[in-house]
Amino acid sequence: MPLLTWLAESTDERPDAIRVDDRSLSWVELRRAATAVADDLRGARRVAVSATASLETVVGVVGGLLAGAAVVPVPPDAGPVERDHILRDSGAEVLLAPPGTPPVDGAVAPPVMPVDPARRADTRHPEPDAANPALILYTSGTTGAPKGAVLSRRAIAACLDGLADAWAWTPDDLLAHGLPLFHVHGLVLGVLGPLRLGSRLRHVGRPRPDRYAAAGGTLYFGVPTIWSRIAAEPAAARELRGARLLVSGSAALPEPVFAALAEMTGHRPVERYGMTETLITVSARADGPRRPGTVGVPLPGVRTRVVDEAGAPLPADGAAMGELQVRGDTLFDGYLNRPDADAATRTADDWFRTGDVATVGPDGWHRIVGRAATDLIKSGGYRIGAGEVEDALLTHPGVREAAVVGTPHPDLGQQIIAYVVGDGLGEAELIDFVARQLSVHKRPRQVRLVDALPRNAMGKVQKSRLTEG
Ligand code: MCA
Ligand code: AMP
């Protein structure tokens, strides 16, 4: 079965199957436009896509997948450091981008191939092997540059079919969201989901409450920051009453936001849990209860366990907390070029270590309690490694030492704060400096200039002392 089953088989020519912002294509037009891209790409193994929230990104990603290449989405606002790393590490042979995009100005500069959604072609590209990589998604660890998680076509198919079952997601749905198109949430669930399962798509550009309100969806996706902003605008929230299912993920949905949404929209949101490396593994179901503060039960084909520090399984009593480990059809194939990092994520009996701390109740319901590593920050649903931001700060000539932490924030879940030792520095200047080197969302929201960082007897920075008091 083709990965993008519905797209491959549809004969529907109605003009607005897939809409991004104010432009749309029918199913047949999207297939023919993407086929034109695939024709150009013949033979390419890895293809980067400048992943703006645009129709060009949808056509480019689909073109890459039809051609059997592994698609590497590049955040469109990635600064030179992050972009060079992704292009070099992935070995992408070409960068697909909207027409008019200038040549890449960097140390690694694959040729730019413009994507024109108005082109059409009808070549039949054979369906690639399901074991082949479909996407390489760059994701942060606690230290160093982001790692490329290799996701096979089979894993993506398994994830989407599991979600179709859990959420009763069908061609009768109209999916609406405004998520970025370079992560699992917006790209795998939010674009490849409709193309496999046949629901129409409205990508609203930016995820503003008024745009969600006007989208007329049956199914809505958002990160908790988006849901909290919608709950703060009752008029927008009330417009979602006609929907079928509201889904939250990528970070914990605060219980007051769950309650406000239930009250204003009439829908208790479905929460689901996942990671770039595992895709979505646990979820509440459309035909079952939704409980604030919990993320539901394993999806079809996924097994979970919670273990103590010695790796011994803990009881499913709703109280015992330990590391959540998962296995099943949705798991990634490993990090590109990083067997060392890869080995660290697997147990001896081949379970994936999520690094999240969880409990499981007697009824199988999972609750995510926190993360084992404080150096992984979740801000606005984005995963950000403290080490990557520290490394960027340390390249500034005035910075001598830097320590980055995440602290609770009412809108973003966590916000990035940088503690910096240096000479003649300004807060705004350092924030802009990071925003220029890396993706904009990795910038600190606050910089605190300090005389020294607290260190233990071994000289290691004690981050907990930075945030206490
Ligand atoms: C602000 N801007 C700047 C600067 N400050 N630009 C340059 N330099 C600066 N110093 C600009 C930005 O470019 C942007 O412009 C605008 O200000 C707003 O940016 P920002 O402040 O970062 O936005 P925000 O309001 O904080 O964003 C909240 C958000 C966003 C929309 C909720 O965090 C978001 O989209 N989150 C989704 C993350 C996500 O999809 N995670 C999924 C990971 P402009 O407006 O022009 O762009 S996948 C995952 O987790 C899994 C598997 C799962 O479970 O789903
Ligand atoms: P990423 O790889 O960017 O997708 O981030 C994955 C991480 O997001 C997980 O390890 C969790 O820490 C967090 N996460 C995703 N969904 C949820 C959720 N529903 N509740 C709490 N944390 C979540």
Side-chain angles (χ1 to χ4, degrees):
M1 194 158 87
L3 172 61
L4 306 178
T5 325
W6 186 274
L7 180 78
E9 293 166 3
S10 179
T11 53
D12 191 342
E13 308 230 27
R14 279 174 295 173
D16 63 346
I18 301 294
R19 174 179 290 272
V20 185
D21 240 342
D22 55 356
R23 293 183 300 151
S24 58
L25 292 172
S26 72
W27 290 112
V28 171
E29 286 170 331
L30 173 56
R31 182 173 64 238
R32 299 184 70 209
T35 300
V37 173
D39 287 353
D40 290 348
L41 289 175
R42 234 175 237 285
R45 282 181 59 239
R46 292 185 189 149
V47 174
V49 177
S50 175
T52 50
S54 67
L55 214 44
E56 283 80 5
T57 296
V58 175
V59 172
V61 169
V62 176
L65 292 174
L66 290 179
V71 173
V72 185
V74 181
D77 63 347
V81 171
E82 187 172 344
R83 191 194 54 217
D84 283 356
H85 168 70
I86 294 173
L87 293 175
R88 178 183 292 112
D89 188 65
S90 68
E93 292 133 82
V94 55
L95 176 69
L96 298 176
T101 303
V104 181
D105 174 23
V108 189
V112 174
M113 187 186 284
V115 175
D116 179 359
R119 287 176 65 205
R120 302 286 180 262
D122 293 301
T123 321
R124 294 298 266 188
H125 289 267
E127 178 67 12
D129 194 304
N132 286 4
L135 294 174
I136 303 175
L137 296 185
Y138 278 80
T139 187
S140 298
T142 52
T143 58
K147 301 186 284 285
V150 179
L151 292 159
S152 68
R153 302 173 74 97
R154 180 181 290 138
I156 290 171
C159 172
L160 295 173
D161 292 349
L163 294 178
D165 177 73
W167 301 343
W169 185 356
T170 73
D172 292 336
D173 278 310
L174 172 61
L175 170 65
H177 70 87
L179 293 160
L181 299 187
F182 44 88
H183 282 310
V184 166
H185 200 164
L187 183 60
V188 177
L189 278 57
V191 173
L192 303 186
L195 303 185
R196 182 172 177 86
L197 304 173
S199 66
R200 288 181 299 145
L201 170 65
R202 292 278 173 281
H203 190 290
V204 300
R206 296 285 300 170
R208 293 207 319 252
D210 57 321
R211 296 193 182 186
Y212 271 51
T218 62
L219 179 61
Y220 281 86
F221 292 168
V223 296
T225 301
I226 296 173
W227 290 122
S228 140
R229 292 178 185 182
I230 289 172
E233 289 190 28
R238 277 194 295 272
E239 292 297 320
L240 304 187
R241 285 192 161 266
R244 183 178 71 77
L245 206 67
L246 311 183
V247 184
S248 179
S250 304
L253 185 69
E255 295 192 25
V257 178
F258 182 107
L261 282 178
E263 158 78 25
M264 291 177 203
T265 67
H267 297 287
R268 293 166 71 78
V270 159
E271 262 210 85
R272 92 298 179 287
Y273 160 85
M275 291 183 78
T276 304
E277 293 87 339
T278 65
L279 300 176
I280 308 306
T281 47
V282 178
S283 181
R285 296 182 56 90
D287 59 3
R290 300 94 213 222
R291 303 182 187 147
T294 64
V295 294
V297 295
L299 285 161
V302 174
R303 287 166 60 205
T304 65
R305 69 181 187 189
V306 171
V307 302
D308 67 14
E309 276 165 18
L314 289 166
D317 60 3
M321 284 179 205
E323 185 188 28
L324 179 63
Q325 300 185 343
V326 299
R327 68 189 306 177
D329 304 338
T330 65
L331 261 57
F332 76 149
D333 290 337
Y335 299 114
L336 192 67
N337 307 325
R338 291 295 305 275
D340 55 326
D342 225 26
T345 64
R346 306 273 175 176
T347 64
D349 54 351
D350 206 27
W351 288 70
F352 178 82
R353 309 182 49 165
T354 66
D356 288 307
V357 179
T359 64
V360 180
D363 50 5
W365 275 65
H366 290 52
R367 183 181 291 273
I368 307 298
V369 185
R371 273 206 76 84
T374 52
D375 276 349
L376 271 189
I377 300 166
K378 264 271 159 165
S379 186
Y382 286 114
R383 167 168 146 192
I384 300 145
E388 187 187 7
V389 182
E390 288 160 1
D391 290 347
L393 284 164
L394 287 167
T395 65
H396 188 289
V399 172
R400 277 188 274 129
E401 295 176 62
V404 165
V405 296
T407 61
H409 187 271
D411 178 49
L412 297 169
Q414 285 186 296
Q415 70 170 342
I416 303 175
I417 301 193
Y419 290 80
V420 172
V421 182
D423 310 299
L425 299 167
E427 179 180 0
E429 175 203 352
L430 285 176
I431 292 172
D432 280 349
F433 182 76
V434 176
R436 281 197 306 275
Q437 305 297 308
L438 308 175
S439 298
V440 168
H441 65 263
K442 295 181 179 175
R443 72 190 186 281
R445 301 290 169 133
Q446 290 182 33
V447 171
R448 309 243 166 98
L449 299 168
V450 292
D451 293 333
L453 297 176
R455 292 184 185 271
N456 64 15
M458 309 293 290
K460 187 172 155 42
V461 177
Q462 293 172 298
K463 291 197 175 179
S464 57
R465 284 182 53 199
L466 287 169
T467 48
E468 70 196 18

